[in-house]
Amino acid sequence: MSQKILVVDDEPDLREILQCNLENAGYEVDTAESAEAALHMLSPEHDLILLDVMLGGMSGFRMANKLRNELKLRTPIIFLTAKDTENDLLTGFSAGGDDYIPKPFSLHEVLARIKAVLRRTQKEPQRTELKAGNLLIDFSKKIVYADGQEVRLSPKEFGILRMLAQQPGRVFSREEIMAEVWHGDSYVLDRTIDVHIARVRRKLGENSYHLTNRQGYGYCFEE
């Protein structure tokens, strides 16, 4: 069954563009022009809300607060907004947002962020550890052993390894890694991700062959 997204934005053209591209990506999409309309439409079937902040009437922040504090709903929320100051970002997360995309944005970025948030908030339990050759990754304890010796990774390095190793064989683009590990920080460059993965491979030594680069596509963990 495809996942369902509720798009809430008062710009008709943007709603149409988002709906078209999300449906082409395989999602079911409902749209609303206001927070008030969205609250009437929202159902347990919605897996994620793409929510504009600057709406006429009730703002996106107020809607998120209502969902979290009054209705006690945990449906993931990604804010879309032209406001991108640090205070706005903190307001968004304190209102219960799971991610925050400043306008203007690329549709490629939106799709990557949606995938990352849905993956983080999915209900299915993930494996607690993985053993591949002489490599052991304990996801719950955030510990990695190579040839019986602990490998010390930074939080970002472990985040990348965990993301790839949780789904062996799947190729993740740099945009997906950026959205998952750096939460879409606009100051992170593709080169930053390449450098971090190079550091992980160096620390894994002879076990580095598990991390592979699919040229033109991204990175993958091979068991």
Side-chain angles (χ1 to χ4, degrees):
M1 180 182 296
S2 60
Q3 294 166 303
K4 182 177 285 190
I5 296 174
L6 175 59
V7 176
V8 188
D9 199 293
D10 57 3
E11 297 181 40
D13 290 344
L14 184 55
R15 284 201 310 274
E16 183 177 350
I17 291 171
L18 287 169
Q19 180 175 13
C20 180
N21 282 272
L22 290 172
E23 288 177 345
N24 286 340
Y27 297 104
E28 291 185 47
V29 182
D30 290 326
T31 66
E33 64 181 7
S34 68
E36 291 82 359
L39 288 170
H40 283 97
M41 296 174 60
L42 186 62
S43 78
E45 295 180 356
H46 289 110
D47 297 287
L48 183 140
I49 305 170
L50 208 55
L51 178 58
D52 187 29
V53 170
M54 303 296 289
L55 295 168
M58 182 186 295
S59 72
F61 288 155
R62 284 185 59 200
M63 176 180 165
N65 271 311
K66 185 177 182 66
L67 291 177
R68 296 293 188 249
N69 300 321
E70 296 181 31
L71 303 179
K72 306 300 182 184
L73 294 179
R74 301 308 306 169
T75 308
I77 297 172
I78 297 179
F79 287 115
L80 301 175
T81 179
K83 304 171 69 176
D84 61 356
T85 68
E86 182 177 0
N87 285 338
D88 297 326
L89 181 64
L90 293 175
T91 299
F93 285 121
S94 65
D98 296 271
D99 205 347
Y100 192 104
I101 307 177
K103 298 178 180 178
F105 49 75
S106 71
L107 291 168
H108 193 62
E109 177 187 12
V110 172
L111 291 172
R113 299 284 195 96
I114 287 172
K115 288 180 182 179
V117 169
L118 288 173
R119 188 165 52 248
R120 287 202 304 269
T121 57
Q122 64 185 356
K123 297 180 177 63
E124 294 80 5
Q126 294 183 317
R127 63 175 80 187
T128 58
E129 69 174 33
L130 177 138
K131 192 175 190 309
N134 295 322
L135 186 65
L136 174 65
I137 306 171
D138 190 318
F139 299 113
S140 59
K141 295 181 180 178
K142 297 181 174 61
I143 298 176
V144 178
Y145 295 97
D147 301 315
Q149 300 295 315
E150 183 178 349
V151 179
R152 296 191 177 277
L153 300 178
S154 72
K156 293 291 192 238
E157 291 167 354
F158 182 82
I160 292 173
L161 182 61
R162 175 177 57 191
M163 179 182 183
L164 301 181
Q166 283 280 12
Q167 299 187 59
R170 177 181 167 180
V171 178
F172 289 90
S173 68
R174 290 175 177 82
E175 289 82 3
E176 288 177 301
I177 296 173
M178 187 186 305
E180 175 79 13
V181 180
W182 276 268
H183 304 296
D185 187 340
S186 59
Y187 294 103
V188 177
L189 305 175
D190 287 352
R191 180 61 181 162
T192 304
I193 295 169
D194 295 339
V195 168
H196 275 73
I197 290 179
R199 288 174 181 166
V200 175
R201 297 185 83 249
R202 185 169 62 251
K203 291 180 180 181
L204 294 181
E206 294 182 358
N207 297 279
S208 63
Y209 68 89
H210 291 292
L211 293 182
T212 61
N213 179 12
R214 300 290 177 81
Q215 192 67 34
Y217 293 97
Y219 290 95
C220 174
F221 184 92
E222 298 284 1
E223 292 187 274

